[in-house]
Each structure stands twice: as C-alpha cells, then as structure tokens.
Amino acid sequence: MTSVIKTLELDLGDRSYPIHIGQGLLQDASLLTPHIHGGSTVVVSNETVAPLYINKLHDLIGDYRNIDVILPDGEEYKTLDTVNQIFTQMLEQHCDRKTTVLALGGGVIGDITGYGAASYQRGVNFIQVPTTLLSMVDSSVGGKTGVNHPLGKNMIGAFYQPQCVIIDTDTLNTLDDRQLSAGMAEVIKYGLIRDADFLDWLQENMDGLLKRDPELLTEAIYRSCKHKAEVVADDEKEAGQRALLNLGHTFGHAIETGMGYGKWLHGEAVAAGMVMAAKLSQGMGWLEATDVQRIETLLQAANLPIAPPKDMTVKQFMDLMSVDKKVLDGVLRLVLMKSMGEAIVTDDFDHDALLKVLIG
Ligand code: NAD
Ligand code: GLY
C-alpha cells in the first residue's frame, strides 16, 4: 500500500535520474524495475538493515538472479578492503558488466556500494535505497561515493550517479531517535543555505517530524532532495556552489575528529558547527542575534546540540580545520550565512570574530 508519492528529477542530461519519495515504496515494484538492467542484481546491505528490509527488496526485484553482500555495520568498515569483498563476491558469482548493484542502508552502505559500482568492470548500473534520514536527504543524491583511508575520511572516491533513488519513509520507523535527529541537521541546513520559508515550516512541524508522521517526512525529504538536486545539477563536481552544502561541516568535522569518530554523530557535529558558522556570520554583521537564536531554537527542537564540546581547545579547532577539503593553497575557506536562507563560501572573514566563536 502506498500513500502520497513525490518524485523529482536530478537533471544531468543523459545521466538524469528520478528520486522517488513516499510511504511504502518498498512495496511498489513499478518504481524500481524499470531501472534494473541486465540479468543479475547484487544487493549490498549490512547486518543491521538486511534483516529488516532485504526481503522486501527481494520481493521487488522479483525473478532476477540476485546475490546479497551483507557487510558488518559501521563507519570503520568503510574501507577499500570492504569494497574488495564486494568485488570478490561479484567475480565469484560471474557478475558481468550488465549487473545492477543496489545499496540498501545508510550513508556508509551507499558510499561503499556506489564506489564499488563505479569501479566494478569500470562501472555498472547502480541504485540507491537509503534507509537513514541523512542518506535520504544527502548522501544518496548527487553521486559522491567513496571510502575512508587511514590518513583521511572519504579520501578515496568517485563521482558516480545512480540510475534512481527509492526513498521509503517507512524505513525510518526502525531508525533510532538519535540517528533521526542527526539526519534532521542536514534537513535544517537546506533551509539555512537556500530556503528561509522552509525554516518556518520545519519549526512548525518539528514535533510531527520527530514522531515520524509519514506525510511530513515525505514533504521534508522532498524539499531537501529538491535543493540538493538543484545544487548538484548546477555544479556536479563541486567547482563552486556545491560547497555551500557544507555549511557547518568545517567546524563539524573538527568536532567529529577532535572527539574521536563515533562519539558525536556527523549530524550532531554539523548542528553545533552551523551555530558556530551563524555566530561568525553575526560577527561579520550579516546575521542578527535574533537570527542566531532562531537557528538555535530550531536545532534544539530537533534534539540537536547547539555548541561544541567544552573540552575542545581553539588550537585543536585550528589544527583540525586546516586539513579541511575547502582549504585551498593553505587558505581556510568557510561557508557562512549572508542572511537567513542565503550562504556563501569565503576566505574573507574576520579572524578575530572566528577566534571569538572558537573561544565560545
Ligand atoms: P550509517 O550508514 O552508519 O547509518 C547509521 C546507523 O543506522 C547504522 O548503524 C545503520 O546500520 C543503521 N540503520 C540504517 N538504516 C536503518 C533503519 N532504517 N533502521 C534501523 N537502523 C538503521 O550513517 P548515515 O548517517 O546514514 O551515513 C553516514 C555516512 O554517510 C558517512 O560515512 C558519511 O561520510 C557519508 N556521507 C556521504 C555523503 C555523500 O554525499 N556521499 C553525504 C553525507 C554523508
Ligand atoms: N554532502 C555534500 C555534497 O554532496 O556535496
């Protein structure tokens, strides 16, 4: 049974693809099967998600010869070794270049599987079936795939777009509250960088969203994916405005690394990082104190932190931020807010104001 289904298209010419969002989509084969090409499918999932949803996906896939690759759960398995395990199983099972590979899980599974699909026999058909809020609104859309290297997170990867993205909001019913809130940070991010009206809508509907009202979730995910699809359509390889999607991320990555991976979830660190970016924007005279309070109120309503951990020092922040991917020729660039719903990437910010934000 399905209720409202919303569909949008990421426009990349002959690599364009649909993003379908709605309740019960894992019971609707008509959205998936047109995108399965060739004779076999490979479903990549993990030990947490597979027991919950893999049978539903098998039912949708139907009569194709299917191979499951079930990986251990965790960011620590987002490695080249894990991608190699996928290749080994595919080669042992004689998967050819016409195989369709499906990622069933959160961003970790989506990133690993996408990179595997990009590389297996120089690229096979790939479908994203994201099951966390973060992966629905961010990682499954836009074609960034990859794995971590011991010397850096997401350092090995490829831009590789899927054939379609199927988002069943029902899968969020089994996601824990903390992960749901972490994903909400990325939803709020779209409002902050591109859509001030969306911020009002989120403030009004946050209770219902956290209670997992399927129609509200569909609307929030649709609006988020629409923003992401528009940004990626204009700047697929991040030559310019795609970097705006990293609001709060430079501070956030420093918090994640400084605290040790896993202690703060990515979305939690981004939430605190977005407040830091907003405070620096206030220091630049672009935001009012009331704007910053509004952002804090919304993040708090989503059960997200609004300040970095007290024990992180300015030096720690500066050291960790200096290895950010947005650093060019040794110059730190930050995403800041020009106004509510408008962001820029700039290296032209007041360093005393930054220091004030880091001191807290
Ligand atoms: P995750 O994939 O680790 O999922 C979080 C946890 O939820 C895991 O334990 C997972 O097994 C579990 N889970 C997933 N779906 C579930 C469900 N429906 N019910 C119950 N449990 C479920 O984390 P994430 O936040 O989805 O993704 C984080 C990853 O995404 C990071 O590796 C990050 O680098 C990457 N990322 C990539 C992009 C991109 O553009 N490619 C963007 C943002 C983040
Ligand atoms: N998560 C940021 C991007 O996809 O560009």
Side-chain angles (χ1 to χ4, degrees):
M1 187 221 55
T2 57
S3 55
V4 181
I5 301 175
K6 291 200 159 211
T7 296
L8 58 97
E9 178 104 342
L10 201 164
D11 181 4
L12 288 169
D14 60 4
R15 292 176 299 117
S16 297
Y17 54 93
I19 301 159
H20 300 293
I21 306 150
Q23 190 183 9
L25 296 200
L26 282 182
Q27 295 165 63
D28 187 348
S30 70
L31 299 173
L32 181 73
T33 41
H35 301 284
I36 297 181
H37 304 150
S40 8
T41 56
V42 176
V43 176
V44 182
S45 190
N46 72 20
E47 285 164 350
T48 306
V49 179
L52 298 168
Y53 300 112
I54 208 163
N55 286 339
K56 287 189 173 193
L57 196 53
H58 288 161
D59 289 346
L60 292 198
I61 290 169
D63 289 340
Y64 288 88
R65 181 181 80 113
N66 178 67
I67 297 145
D68 290 335
V69 180
I70 309 301
L71 303 173
D73 186 358
E75 179 78 29
E76 64 270 37
Y77 299 103
K78 197 173 138 178
T79 61
L80 277 175
D81 276 352
T82 304
V83 179
N84 205 32
Q85 273 179 43
I86 301 175
F87 295 153
T88 303
Q89 286 202 42
M90 289 177 72
L91 288 166
E92 282 172 354
Q93 299 291 328
H94 306 288
C95 292
D96 63 19
R97 295 182 70 184
K98 292 199 167 162
T99 305
T100 296
V101 177
L102 299 97
L104 174 70
V108 170
I109 287 294
D111 281 10
I112 297 171
T113 309
Y115 189 51
S119 314
Y120 187 75
Q121 300 193 6
R122 301 197 182 86
V124 291
N125 199 35
F126 168 47
I127 292 174
Q128 286 271 21
V129 186
T131 61
T132 61
L133 183 58
L134 180 136
S135 58
M136 292 174 181
V137 300
D138 192 355
S139 59
S140 68
V141 174
K144 280 189 183 175
T145 71
V147 295
N148 302 327
H149 185 277
L151 296 181
K153 187 169 151 60
N154 291 332
M155 282 296 153
I156 313 296
F159 285 98
Y160 194 66
Q161 302 292 343
Q163 308 297 311
C164 79
V165 183
I166 306 272
I167 298 176
D168 183 342
T169 57
D170 277 346
T171 59
L172 295 176
N173 290 331
T174 52
L175 191 66
D176 71 41
D177 291 343
R178 194 175 163 201
Q179 292 284 354
L180 188 75
S181 287
M184 206 57 80
E186 302 286 357
V187 174
I188 292 168
K189 174 192 78 181
Y190 292 110
L192 296 176
I193 62 173
R194 284 174 64 90
D195 187 352
D197 292 345
F198 189 32
L199 295 173
D200 295 334
W201 185 90
L202 286 169
Q203 187 69 57
E204 271 165 41
N205 292 293
M206 192 52 74
D207 277 356
L209 286 164
L210 296 182
K211 286 183 186 137
R212 298 159 210 244
D213 176 303
E215 283 179 16
L216 293 177
L217 284 170
T218 297
E219 180 65 17
I221 295 165
Y222 174 80
R223 288 176 78 160
S224 301
C225 288
K226 193 161 187 301
H227 284 298
K228 177 128 193 200
E230 284 170 7
V231 170
V232 172
D234 282 350
D235 180 23
E236 184 185 5
K237 301 273 170 77
E238 199 166 313
Q241 67 150 341
R242 186 164 179 169
L244 298 180
L245 297 174
N246 290 324
L247 177 72
H249 285 57
T250 304
F251 298 109
H253 286 153
I255 295 171
E256 274 182 278
T257 315
M259 296 310 285
Y261 280 115
K263 209 152 182 206
W264 279 52
L265 296 180
H266 175 73
E268 294 168 342
V270 165
M274 291 193 298
V275 175
M276 295 172 85
K279 286 186 170 165
L280 180 50
S281 306
Q282 182 193 350
M284 297 294 293
W286 297 334
L287 289 188
E288 303 291 335
T290 48
D291 294 328
V292 177
Q293 273 159 17
R294 237 183 100 202
I295 296 168
E296 290 176 336
T297 305
L298 180 54
L299 292 168
Q300 280 177 316
N303 297 324
L304 286 162
I306 57 166
K310 289 212 170 2
D311 43 353
M312 265 191 79
T313 63
V314 172
K315 181 172 182 325
Q316 239 180 327
F317 263 111
M318 290 309 278
D319 288 349
L320 291 165
M321 290 188 350
S322 69
V323 295
D324 188 82
K325 284 205 217 74
K326 282 185 297 306
V327 171
L328 281 185
D329 298 328
V331 177
L332 179 62
R333 292 153 74 239
L334 290 171
V335 184
L336 297 178
M337 293 177 65
K338 271 288 195 187
S339 64
M340 294 296 267
E342 188 194 356
I344 52 159
V345 185
T346 182
D347 58 13
D348 188 15
F349 52 83
D350 181 343
H351 285 257
D352 287 341
L354 173 61
L355 207 59
K356 219 171 130 196
V357 168
L358 296 181
I359 289 166

